[in-house]
Every structure is written in C-alpha cells, then in structure tokens.
Amino acid sequence: MAEVEAHPDSDSPSFSDHIPVMLDSAVALLNVRPGLTYVDATAGGGSHLKKILDKQKGSGLAIGVDKDTGAIEKLKTRLKGEKVELVQADFAELKEILPRFGVSTITGGILADLGVSSMQVDDPARGFSFNKDGPLDMRMNDRQELSAAQLVNQLPQDELANLIFEYGEEKNSRAIARAIVAARPLNRTSELAEIVCRAAKGRGIRQSKRSSRTGKVNAIHPATRTFQALRIAVNSELESLELLLEQSRSLLAPGARLVVITFHSLEDRLVKQFFRRMASHCVCPPRQPVCTCDKKPEFLIITRKPLVAEEKEVLANVRSRSAKLRAGEKLP
Ligand SMILES: C[S@@+](CC[C@H](N)C(=O)[O-])C[C@H]1O[C@@H](n2cnc3c(N)ncnc32)[C@H](O)[C@@H]1O
C-alpha cells in the first residue's frame, strides 16, 4: 500500500495516493445508513468508498464504479473482504450496470467526485499533466480509442479552437489552435505545453483564474486551460455527467441522496442547473400569469450554496481549492 497521509478533513488516514477532497462532508451529506445501497460513481483511490463501507457496517450494498481499469484493479486488492462490488465502467452506464447486482433502485445514494485522481495526474505515462513529460494520452479509460494526440493532430484548426474555447474557457483559443496546427505532429505533453506557452506569450497574455472559494485571482500555468479542454473532450466528461444526473432521477429511491463534487465551472454549472430544474415547482414561461405545467419537484436541494473546502484543507491539498460540493435528496 502507498504512503499513508493524514487528511485534514478527516479523523482517519487517507486510504490511497489520492488525497480525497471533502471526505467527511461528502459522506456525511450522503447520510450513509446500514442496510441501504450506495453507489460511488468515481471510486478512484477508494477513500470515499471505504468511508461509506465503514458507515454501512457490513449491512447493505456498496457499488464502486470507475472507468479507469487500473484504479478498479487496485481497489479489488485494497478492499478485499469488504462487502463491495467493483466495476470498470463509465458512470453514464449506471442504468445498465445496476441490474448485474440485482439492483433496480438505489435506496441510499450516489456519490460522484468528478475529474481525475492524483494517481492519474501524477503518472507521466497517462499524459494528463503539462508539468510532466509523457505521451499525449489523457484517457481515463485505457480501453477507449480516442486520445489527446488524436484531437491535437487530427482536428481541423477551427474545431480545435472551438474545443479549447468551449471546454477550457480559453480566450486565446484561436492563437493556440493556430500554433498547434503549425507545429503538428505533436506527441508529447511537454511539446504541447511549450507551444501553448509560446502562443500565449506572443500575445502578451498572462493567465489567471478567479478562485471560486476566495474570489481572489490566482496566476495559472498558461497551458492549464488547454489541457483541461482536451481532457474533458477525450473523456466526454460533460456528456457523462449529464447522463448520470439524468439517470439519477429514475434510479434514486425517495429519500436517497445525490452528492456531486465538481472541480471546474462547466461541471458545476451542469449540477447547479440540474438541481434547480429538479427542485422547481413550475417550468411555465416566466411571463405566463397562471401555472399550467403541473410540475412536481423531484429533488430537495440540501446545499443551497455549494460547499467549498475549508482553508486548512486547501493548504494541505491544493486540488481542493476549486472543489464545489452540491447535494440533493430525491423526493417521493
Ligand atoms: C477525483 S477521483 C475520485 C477519488 C475518490 N473519490 C477517492 O476517494 O479516491 C475521480 C475518479 O473518477 C473517475 N471518473 C471520472 N469520470 C468518470 C466516469 N464518467 N465514469 C467513471 N469513472 C469516472 C476517474 O477515473 C477517477 O478515478
């Protein structure tokens, strides 16, 4: 087992190389009780899942899903002897996965701690990091064909610029796409990072990002947004999230909870809008004087404002800086 690190938000040591974000708050909001079924849709290094299992006290069912084959294999060893089912799959396929375990409705709840794990980012061979040289890969699921190299080397310039703009919210996307196309073929993360830095520098652009937690503007590496955009596209992250949210409507039993931790504004927007839509009593056009839609709220929003990590957690784990946690409970 890897080095054990104390987690600031927890009274128990971290379970894996990945320091879990908002571990205690997320599991508390999931309201884990023995006898019920819980799904950890992003099992990763297993810290959240282990905490769920501890709270279940051996009664009920826990299903851990991750599209990363290596993560699931490691968890099979780490969680040996625990009452847990581990599945390598995209959480967008939850509806198809559950019947394999005789589950039609999730009585306890679903947890999704989105994005990438430290194990993925820290491994240069996975190609997620602009700080570590590696192949331009970025696939969470190594069984999938599409990689970052294919997007970088094969997309028409306009499409590449749109992708970097849309998924990276990168204002300099056109210049970056032009520089990438001129430098093709690119096969290494270091090559891409350098091209992006040069394109940004050439336009005198300093990259910064406003912290959702403190409101302060922090300087970021010029390649951050481009790498984020490619990662989101390679792994269809937003499409999968939309499918998971939509499926939770029919999969969760009344009283069951949905807890989602996001790491960038595109994800958070989807979750926020989903909960708002689900909690609303009326979807009539705003100018219509009388409600005729008969809409019933489907979820109760538990976190009126998203939870963010406390200062001490952010100091100990920089990854938690951009985390936002939202939770809702399925209504009858
Ligand atoms: C932030 S980590 C989760 C860490 C985990 N909560 C823990 O305690 O270690 C995110 C994990 O979600 C997985 N993941 C991301 N999107 C996924 C998807 N659509 N389907 C399944 N797994 C996904 C990634 O492979 C990664 O292992």
Side-chain angles (χ1 to χ4, degrees), residues 69-121:
T69 321
I72 289 295
E73 286 313 311
K74 276 192 186 154
L75 283 176
K76 282 185 180 161
T77 312
R78 281 191 188 136
L79 295 173
K80 208 169 185 156
E82 297 273 2
K83 202 167 171 218
V84 63
E85 301 287 354
L86 295 163
V87 194
Q88 188 278 327
D90 193 304
F91 56 56
E93 296 153 21
L94 206 51
K95 235 180 184 157
E96 289 81 57
I97 296 167
L98 294 179
R100 283 193 231 161
F101 307 104
V103 174
S104 53
T105 47
I106 299 167
T107 48
I110 301 174
L111 170 69
D113 171 21
L114 300 170
V116 271
S117 67
S118 304
M119 287 87 76
Q120 291 166 331
V121 177

Side-chain angles (χ1 to χ4, degrees), residues 16 18 20 23 40-49 65-68 71 89-92 111 113-117 119-120 140 235 237 240-241 263 319:
S16 72
H18 177 82
L23 176 63
D40 184 342
T42 52
S47 296
H48 284 101
L49 184 53
V65 179
D66 204 296
K67 64 201 272 183
D68 188 314
D90 193 304
F91 56 56
L111 170 69
D113 171 21
L114 300 170
V116 271
S117 67
M119 287 87 76
Q120 291 166 331
M140 290 177 187
N235 298 291
E237 291 181 33
S240 286
L241 176 57
F263 291 89
R319 213 179 145 265

Side-chain angles (χ1 to χ4, degrees), residues 24 40 78 80-81 162 203 207 211 217 302:
D24 286 351
D40 184 342
R78 281 191 188 136
K80 208 169 185 156
N162 290 343
R203 294 168 64 90
Q207 293 269 5
S211 158
V217 175
I302 300 168

Side-chain angles (χ1 to χ4, degrees), residues 7-11 18-30 47-49 51-52 111-114 212-213 259-263 268 303 305-314 317 319-327:
H7 188 267
D9 192 30
S10 172
D11 48 10
H18 177 82
I19 307 177
V21 170
M22 291 196 263
L23 176 63
D24 286 351
S25 331
V27 178
L29 278 165
L30 205 54
S47 296
H48 284 101
L49 184 53
K51 201 154 189 107
I52 293 171
L111 170 69
D113 171 21
L114 300 170
S212 54
R213 212 177 49 81
V259 176
V260 188
I261 306 173
T262 62
F263 291 89
D268 183 57
T303 48
K305 280 192 165 177
L307 251 62
V308 293
E310 284 178 19
E311 197 76 39
K312 61 176 182 176
E313 179 170 1
V314 175
N317 178 14
R319 213 179 145 265
S320 66
R321 192 172 60 183
S322 49
K324 283 189 177 177
L325 185 158
R326 294 184 190 267

Side-chain angles (χ1 to χ4, degrees), residues 127-131 136 138 188-190 192-193 196 223-232:
F128 284 106
S129 171
F130 45 77
N131 285 319
L136 270 175
M138 301 196 194
R188 311 286 301 174
T189 51
S190 56
L192 177 63
V196 175
T224 306
R225 294 173 190 276
T226 302
F227 271 65
Q228 173 186 301
L230 289 167
R231 198 201 80 200
I232 291 175

